[in-house]
Amino acid sequence: MQKRAEQMIPGGVNSPVRAYAAVGVDPPFIARGEGSRLWDVDGNEYIDYIGSWGPLILGHAFPTVVDAISNAARKGTTFGASTPAESDLAEIILQAFPGMEKVRFVNSGTEATMSAIRLARASTKRKYIVKFEGCYHGHADALLVKAGSGVATLGIPGSAGVPEEFTQFTLALPFNDIDSLELAFSKYKHQIACVIVEPVVGNMGCVPGSGGYLAALRLITQRENAVLIFDEVMTGFRLAFGGAQELYGIRPDLTTMGKIIGGGLPVGAYGGSSEIMDLVAPLGPMYQAGTLSGNPLAMAAGLATLRHLQQHKQEIYSRLDKLAGELVDGVAAAATDAGTPVCANRVGSMFTWFFTAGPVSDWASASKSDTETFRRFFRSMLDNGIYLPPSQFEAAFLSAAHTENDIHKTIAAAKRTFAPARAGSAGS
Ligand SMILES: *Cc1c(COP(=O)(O)O)cnc(C)c1O
């Protein structure tokens, strides 16, 4: 199947990390998922800690989500016209995120961040944007910039096919470093339109802002009249019902979303105050459109997911936090007991075991991880039926469908992985 796919699709995949290039094995082809479990086409069963890279907080094939999608499909899949479901989903999102008064739906996180940046530039009439090294905001040209660790270095494209001119207004700064941000604002006085950040980074592995970092971003952007964009594509409805902004008590000017709000179908969204959102066409001069945006299937899946989360948020988020804590500590202890250095980062149900002594607080410290140890860990866990992100630099997720039993099995697999002899003699 992999060979067949490779003949027609670059690398055999429709998104690069699925190719397992970093871990040197062929990726499983998935036949089906249910709850916390996945089955591949060879009949192997896995406990899934990817959850489609974030969307599946309720697990695979959650019954009310499946019903919502099939009910919607029977009435027609897309009209390119308004439906009541769009306002239903908007309403529940705006309730959860009180800093947002209006929201616009798009089809992916990439579209959401690209549009939010266009809007920030439209509202400030400034050109420069600030992003942080190791943060991923989708694959729009101006955001595909890693850049070195130099302070306020002009953007260097992180992909072929992106002319330097397209990233010359992108400043890539180290995460968790307020001084470099202050320097950028003084060097580019009144020229920085926005600061975009993953409030808890998931795309260099899980890396939270250190104490006061997000609050400082809020203060500085306010002082400089720049737009603060929280990219909550991963963290929205994941870390709390109201996302990272609820967890940390900070209101950005614009928020981007995706993943969970689509309940497993392709959706993105961006939103903020009415004042800024009313700059979007047809009310204002900032153009953004989409043939399938707000389509009935995606709205139905997102609505079923968010309604379930809303009704059960008290139990769901505290249970996710508790179970994820047990899992992350248990696997980290298995590594430590075997003498393998590990730094476990976790916020709620988002986590990464970095194979380095740590602490991991930015891209420079994350990239010190021993990727060969990660590779061995990943492959052994996969052989033991544990499906983890195939990269040291991607966060793993727990879903509400995971059980204590899943956690115990996963910790047992980690013990066998790190200390095969000892685990064997213990008779497990
Ligand atoms: C996944 C992700 C994106 C991109 O979303 P797509 O739907 O893959 O385009 C953007 N920002 C963050 C923080 C993400 O995790």
Side-chain angles (χ1 to χ4, degrees):
M1 286 181 184
Q2 178 66 21
K3 286 208 169 66
R4 176 171 182 249
E6 282 174 10
Q7 281 165 7
M8 296 178 281
I9 300 168
V13 292
N14 285 305
S15 197
V17 79
R18 297 181 200 165
Y20 279 39
V23 289
V25 282
D26 277 344
F29 272 62
I30 304 304
R32 133 185 131 76
E34 191 185 327
S36 63
R37 304 299 171 109
L38 279 178
W39 288 266
D40 69 16
V41 291
D42 300 319
N44 298 306
E45 180 175 332
Y46 304 95
I47 303 175
D48 176 20
Y49 292 106
I50 299 184
S52 190
W53 305 89
L56 299 184
I57 194 166
L58 300 179
H60 293 276
F62 191 73
T64 57
V65 175
V66 174
D67 288 348
I69 296 169
S70 41
N71 288 338
R74 268 191 288 275
K75 295 178 196 153
T77 53
T78 176
F79 311 112
S82 296
T83 62
E86 292 158 82
S87 297
D88 292 340
L89 188 60
E91 186 174 62
I92 196 166
I93 290 173
L94 298 180
Q95 274 169 12
F97 287 72
M100 280 164 63
E101 291 170 333
K102 285 190 180 171
V103 62
R104 168 62 66 82
F105 291 113
V106 291
N107 301 296
S108 67
T110 295
E111 278 182 71
T113 56
M114 184 183 78
S115 309
I117 281 174
R118 186 179 303 147
L119 182 55
R121 282 174 163 154
S123 93
T124 57
K125 302 191 168 64
R126 297 174 179 178
K127 288 181 182 168
Y128 283 89
I129 63 174
V130 169
K131 76 171 289 283
F132 299 102
E133 287 170 29
C135 287
Y136 177 70
H137 304 292
H139 62 87
D141 283 349
L143 288 165
L144 276 182
V145 179
K146 285 184 214 151
S149 55
V151 172
T153 36
L154 286 176
I156 299 155
S159 165
V162 180
E164 270 163 44
E165 291 83 350
F166 287 23
T167 56
Q168 64 178 314
F169 298 117
T170 304
L171 308 173
L173 308 180
F175 183 70
N176 265 330
D177 179 350
I178 285 301
D179 291 347
S180 68
L181 185 68
E182 289 283 19
L183 215 65
F185 271 110
S186 62
K187 192 166 169 196
Y188 298 95
K189 198 86 194 140
H190 307 308
Q191 296 176 74
I192 296 176
C194 65
V195 172
I196 184 167
V197 66
E198 290 182 69
V200 171
V201 189
N203 288 291
M204 56 176 145
C206 177
V207 179
S210 24
Y213 178 66
L214 295 175
L217 291 186
R218 178 64 286 184
L219 278 174
I220 294 168
T221 45
Q222 223 144 27
R223 186 191 73 207
E224 301 290 336
N225 292 315
V227 174
L228 179 62
I229 305 174
F230 272 12
D231 181 355
E232 297 230 35
V233 170
M234 190 180 282
T235 55
F237 296 95
R238 162 67 59 187
L239 301 183
F241 191 66
Q245 50 200 273
E246 176 188 310
L247 187 66
Y248 295 103
I250 291 168
R251 282 193 187 177
D253 303 300
L254 284 176
T255 300
T256 55
M257 294 187 196
K259 300 194 170 122
I260 289 176
I261 65 162
L265 268 71
V267 184
Y270 62 102
S273 67
S274 298
E275 191 191 352
I276 191 163
M277 290 304 290
D278 286 350
L279 294 173
V280 179
L283 293 183
M286 193 293 262
Y287 193 73
Q288 180 271 309
T291 301
L292 291 173
S293 292
N295 87 82
L297 297 199
M299 297 296 105
L303 193 60
T305 300
L306 297 195
R307 278 193 177 144
H308 185 88
L309 286 173
Q310 188 179 44
Q311 280 156 14
H312 302 275
K313 64 183 177 189
Q314 249 50 300
E315 314 96 76
I316 286 182
Y317 291 100
S318 56
R319 183 174 172 276
L320 280 173
D321 188 51
K322 178 176 158 286
L323 278 189
E326 275 178 41
L327 170 69
V328 169
D329 294 350
V331 171
T336 307
D337 289 351
T340 303
V342 67
C343 168
N345 280 6
R346 178 180 76 86
V347 180
S349 57
M350 240 174 103
F351 50 89
T352 300
W353 298 283
F354 290 101
F355 292 106
T356 171
V360 173
S361 58
D362 56 11
W363 174 247
S365 46
S367 59
K368 286 191 184 128
S369 300
D370 179 354
T371 50
E372 187 47 44
T373 301
F374 172 80
R375 209 159 97 114
R376 282 199 304 271
F377 168 69
F378 171 85
R379 288 168 68 148
S380 168
M381 294 297 273
L382 191 69
D383 288 344
N384 280 280
I386 311 297
Y387 190 82
L388 294 167
S391 161
Q392 172 73 93
F393 308 109
E394 293 283 358
F397 303 101
L398 200 75
S399 81
H402 286 85
T403 62
E404 285 277 357
N405 186 33
D406 290 337
I407 306 301
H408 295 152
K409 282 191 163 151
T410 307
I411 294 171
K415 286 182 178 159
R416 285 196 294 277
T417 292
F418 290 114
R422 219 180 309 166
S425 64
S428 55

